[in-house]
Amino acid sequence: MSDRYVIPLSALAGVLGLVSLAAVSMSGQTPASPAKSTGAKAAGAAKAGTPPRTAWGDPDLQGTWFVLTDVPLERSAANAGKEFLTDQEVAAADAQKGLNPGRNARSADKAQDVSGAYNAVFNSVLKTGKRTSMIVDPPDGRIPPLVGGAPAGRGGQGAPGGRGGLGLGTGPGVNDNPETIPQSPRCLGVPMPFLPLNTLFAQGTVMQVVQSPKSMAIYMEDDHAGGGNRVIFMDGRPHAPSKAKFYLGDSRGHWEGNTLVVETTNFSQGFRGSNIETYKMIERFTRVDANNLRREITFDDPKTWTKPWTVVVEMGRAPDQRHMIFDSACHEGNYGLTGILVGNRKQEQAEKK
């Protein structure tokens, strides 16, 4: 694939191992001992429900935040009707992760052999979360049914037809030209909604928030997908005209008590098959205490889903003096993209013979 994977993933995995209380020890069969956190000192002595404030009086959400545990997006059939796992079930799942670090996992299937050619050195293994799904509404933990006539959504983020979206490109003709190769090999940056859909590769797990009175910035780091800089305007300006489309959408925020509410529209690509003309995201960021942030996201598209649906992502704060985000520099040494294009030219030549 590409040498760009090696340094970023190992560095990010190491960082998460230092700052996250959720890391699972891969050297033994028991979870790693919790590290002492100094984040409270850096953030101020904030009690639950009374977050620290910025110099201009807004709740202070600044800092580097990381996903605490591994939680699936949708609830499995095995956990139907159950919102939380028991302590025993969590312990059993974590023990299994320690027993199976995935070292040198090979497969007779060529595609699976290449895509799975990463051992535990490159992985960031998080503890199992107690929630059985990130989705909290509907109560069954599942994405609502599609509206009649709506196209079936892809299993991940991406543009219509699978072109230019996240992934490795498995559709017909997707890998023929650089303009249509999916997001990941092209290093186009982090897509929205930036969910931790693959915590093993630290995807969607780390973000840094910076605030000012009239705007906020969120830097999102997503290993081999590259980083993304998101701007949220807080000055009351309206959304951009509907014909203007943005890779990370057009975000407008306001405060409701101690919660930051952000509405994002004008996406240039949908999420799970959504219609970019009617799809919007409503996020609610709440600093629970000095070291914990709750990110709640509602997905709303009346042309795609029969009703809106909401996920919850719980994040912890990294101590300022111990942590920095390592830029993945995704396109540096990007041999994967070259190899894809060379392979397709060879295939075309073979088909002409």
Side-chain angles (χ1 to χ4, degrees), residues 175 335-349:
N175 294 320
Y335 304 111
L337 183 61
T338 302
I340 289 171
L341 295 173
V342 169
N344 274 275
R345 301 294 83 78
K346 292 289 186 181
Q347 187 176 29
E348 290 171 353
Q349 293 173 6

Side-chain angles (χ1 to χ4, degrees), residues 184-254:
S184 182
R186 294 171 68 190
C187 299
L188 292 179
V190 176
M192 290 295 286
F194 192 63
L195 291 176
L197 298 178
N198 185 358
T199 60
L200 194 63
F201 275 73
Q203 293 174 356
T205 61
V206 184
M207 68 182 192
Q208 185 174 25
V209 180
V210 177
Q211 290 176 244
S212 76
K214 294 184 178 181
S215 65
M216 298 182 66
I218 300 179
Y219 175 72
M220 305 171 293
E221 176 57 48
D222 209 13
D223 66 77
H224 63 290
N229 291 289
R230 182 184 178 197
V231 177
I232 301 168
F233 292 106
M234 305 285 295
D235 56 4
R237 71 180 68 183
H239 281 288
S242 59
K243 64 180 179 181
K245 304 299 181 184
F246 306 90
Y247 187 57
L248 297 178
D250 185 49
S251 296
R252 300 290 183 268
H254 66 275

Side-chain angles (χ1 to χ4, degrees), residues 8-339:
L9 284 175
S10 56
L12 186 55
V15 170
L16 290 178
L18 286 174
V19 303
S20 175
L21 303 184
V24 172
S25 171
M26 302 306 293
S27 58
Q29 308 308 324
T30 57
S33 299
K36 292 183 179 180
S37 173
T38 55
K41 293 181 180 180
K47 297 180 180 179
T50 57
R53 299 278 169 172
T54 62
W56 54 92
D58 289 335
D60 191 347
L61 305 184
Q62 297 180 103
T64 298
W65 302 91
F66 57 94
V67 170
L68 295 168
T69 56
D70 181 24
V71 177
L73 176 63
E74 294 188 90
R75 188 172 301 154
S76 68
N79 289 319
K82 183 166 62 175
E83 186 176 0
F84 296 99
L85 299 174
T86 65
D87 291 339
Q88 292 78 8
E89 289 170 327
V90 170
D94 285 344
Q96 185 61 37
K97 290 180 180 181
L99 288 168
N100 182 23
R103 292 188 179 277
N104 197 31
R106 305 306 300 268
S107 172
D109 180 88
K110 293 182 180 179
Q112 184 176 342
D113 191 44
V114 173
S115 64
Y118 298 96
N119 61 31
V121 174
F122 300 93
N123 294 338
S124 175
V125 181
L126 300 185
K127 281 187 177 181
T128 304
K130 294 203 72 173
R131 287 190 179 277
T132 55
S133 66
M134 280 188 266
I135 296 177
V136 295
D137 186 36
D140 65 359
R142 306 288 297 178
I143 296 174
L146 294 173
V147 172
R154 298 189 333 124
Q157 293 149 285
R163 293 181 177 270
L166 181 67
L168 297 176
T170 56
V174 171
N175 294 320
D176 289 351
N177 300 290
E179 296 83 3
T180 58
I181 287 176
Q183 179 257 25
S184 182
R186 294 171 68 190
C187 299
L188 292 179
V190 176
M192 290 295 286
F194 192 63
L195 291 176
L197 298 178
N198 185 358
T199 60
L200 194 63
F201 275 73
Q203 293 174 356
T205 61
V206 184
M207 68 182 192
Q208 185 174 25
V209 180
V210 177
Q211 290 176 244
S212 76
K214 294 184 178 181
S215 65
M216 298 182 66
I218 300 179
Y219 175 72
M220 305 171 293
E221 176 57 48
D222 209 13
D223 66 77
H224 63 290
N229 291 289
R230 182 184 178 197
V231 177
I232 301 168
F233 292 106
M234 305 285 295
D235 56 4
R237 71 180 68 183
H239 281 288
S242 59
K243 64 180 179 181
K245 304 299 181 184
F246 306 90
Y247 187 57
L248 297 178
D250 185 49
S251 296
R252 300 290 183 268
H254 66 275
W255 293 100
E256 292 183 3
N258 292 328
T259 296
L260 171 67
V261 181
V262 181
E263 180 182 84
T264 305
T265 60
N266 298 60
F267 288 98
S268 61
Q269 63 176 16
F271 178 59
R272 304 229 164 202
S274 61
N275 185 311
I276 61 173
E277 302 302 332
T278 52
Y279 164 57
K280 67 179 179 180
M281 259 173 46
I282 304 293
E283 296 167 279
R284 302 177 68 87
F285 295 86
T286 305
R287 189 163 183 174
V288 179
D289 54 34
N291 297 312
N292 292 280
L293 181 76
R294 176 184 171 97
R295 183 182 177 217
E296 185 178 293
I297 314 163
T298 297
F299 301 95
D300 188 357
D301 181 7
K303 288 191 176 181
T304 300
W305 303 296
T306 53
K307 58 183 176 180
W309 51 285
T310 301
V311 306
V312 166
V313 179
E314 296 170 331
M315 308 187 81
R317 189 175 189 273
D320 291 335
Q321 65 271 34
R322 290 180 54 192
H323 183 66
M324 59 181 289
I325 294 180
F326 291 86
D327 182 0
S328 65
C330 181
H331 219 304
E332 185 176 330
N334 186 1
Y335 304 111
L337 183 61
T338 302

